[in-house]
Amino acid sequence: MLFRSTFLGATYADLFPENVGRMVLDGAIDPTLSNEQMSYGQALGFDNALRRFIDDCPTHTDCPLSATGQSGYNKVLDLLNRLDSRPARLADGRNFTQAMGVVAVVGGLYDKVYGWTALRSSLGAALKGDFEEMAQTVDLYTSRQDDGTYGDNSNDAIVAINCLDHPTRYETAAIQQDAQAWSKVAPVFGAYLAWGQAACQNWPTGSTATEHAIAAPGSRPILVVGTRYDPATPYAWAVSLANQLQNASLLTFEGDGHTAYYQGSQCVDNAVDSYFVAGSLPQGLVCADGP
């Protein structure tokens, strides 16, 4: 079983360790973290991913940025901040807001192979005043269809899951403090991730869960895969989960984007395939980005 919903996979292994055959947890979540800690980790993760995208940009002929480092970062930040007071008008009549702009950048940072390419294109158009490509990324990310309906309920489902997985309900004042503090270390994503905690404030069903380490005692060997610059599930979470599990090995992918399997590294793909087919569990393997 290959799990990219790694909290679900790890929980299953903990509940039914005798049923574990060959399990891969790719893009690991640390089950000991609170929702606040996870959101903060993602704010830092996406901030670092954006900076890596900006510094990589000049190596491509379609790079729309004239500067790297903090200057390039500030250009993206200024673009998004302008949308807060002056949303852009889309061809279908919608206002393209700052929140939509942040989602568009987040969507592009999930995947280096295709997402970074699409982000260079949409960012280039946006810097010229055209936000249609960014809107397409947002619609794809949220499963919004051309008629304004949504193709699935994944965004509703993730709220329900998170509110039941984590017991703490955060008050508005505490969230506002997080938003202010996180914005200082992650100006583009800090407030965005902080205010995401508000989704559970009025959730009608309480949570009986508690954050705790997962050991899955007695299971067969589990392969945990962590991507060094994963923005959504930071690498430190994979290290932590691998250490918590009683019988696990960590495979490290020295790359960008969320998850590692079939993300451009033949080393990762071969290691995972060999584990599934022959039961060959890699021990402390580190795979470089690229073939």
Side-chain angles (χ1 to χ4, degrees):
M1 294 178 288
L2 187 145
F3 282 92
R4 284 196 167 119
S5 294
T6 52
F7 187 41
L8 175 64
T11 300
Y12 179 89
D14 204 38
L15 292 171
F16 309 106
E18 70 280 2
N19 291 346
V20 173
R22 294 170 187 168
M23 177 180 285
V24 176
L25 302 175
D26 185 10
I29 286 178
D30 181 351
T32 68
L33 298 180
S34 68
N35 191 43
E36 182 182 33
Q37 290 170 320
M38 290 179 60
S39 296
Y40 182 64
Q42 287 188 324
L44 297 179
F46 277 105
D47 185 85
N48 187 47
L50 177 58
R51 293 179 187 277
R52 287 181 60 81
F53 163 81
I54 290 169
D55 287 344
D56 174 78
C57 191
T59 67
H60 304 273
T61 57
D62 60 347
C63 177
L65 298 173
S66 57
T68 58
Q70 190 61 44
S71 295
Y73 184 93
N74 288 343
K75 192 166 186 177
V76 176
L77 180 62
D78 290 345
L79 173 72
L80 296 172
N81 285 342
R82 286 198 300 273
L83 289 170
D84 189 30
S85 57
R86 298 193 301 276
R89 196 73 167 174
L90 298 175
D92 61 7
R94 287 183 291 167
N95 285 330
F96 190 85
T97 64
Q98 181 188 42
M100 293 172 72
V102 173
V103 172
V105 176
V106 164
L109 293 175
Y110 262 89
D111 169 55
K112 182 178 182 180
V113 178
Y114 301 106
W116 285 21
T117 301
L119 183 55
R120 289 194 300 273
S121 178
S122 64
L123 188 58
L127 289 168
K128 298 176 182 177
D130 181 356
F131 290 86
E132 298 294 335
E133 285 188 46
M134 276 197 164
Q136 291 173 10
T137 300
V138 175
D139 290 347
L140 180 65
Y141 187 83
T142 59
S143 302
R144 183 184 186 278
Q145 303 179 107
D146 291 341
D147 62 359
T149 62
Y150 291 83
D152 59 57
N153 70 338
S154 57
N155 285 282
D156 295 324
I158 195 62
V159 172
I161 292 167
N162 283 341
C163 292
L164 293 176
D165 281 348
H166 298 280
T168 306
R169 302 292 184 256
Y170 298 94
E171 298 296 330
T172 300
I175 295 174
Q176 189 168 23
Q177 287 181 350
D178 280 346
Q180 292 172 348
W182 299 2
S183 292
K184 294 178 182 177
V185 293
V188 171
F189 306 104
Y192 170 78
L193 268 302
W195 283 109
Q197 300 172 98
C200 296
Q201 280 184 330
N202 298 311
W203 193 254
T205 303
S207 171
T208 60
T210 56
E211 291 93 4
H212 63 279
I214 286 180
S219 76
R220 293 182 178 86
I222 296 172
L223 179 60
V224 179
V225 184
T227 300
R228 180 73 67 182
Y229 304 106
D230 189 326
T233 52
Y235 177 70
W237 298 359
V239 175
S240 181
L241 179 60
N243 288 334
Q244 292 169 42
L245 291 167
Q246 189 179 86
N247 192 1
S249 178
L250 176 65
L251 167 59
T252 299
F253 172 42
E254 295 284 355
D256 298 271
H258 179 49
T259 72
Y261 187 59
Y262 267 60
Q263 295 297 311
S265 171
Q266 201 168 56
C267 172
V268 171
D269 298 345
N270 289 343
V272 173
D273 291 346
S274 295
Y275 168 65
F276 275 135
V277 173
S280 304
L281 185 72
Q283 296 291 336
L285 180 63
V286 178
C287 292
D289 194 2

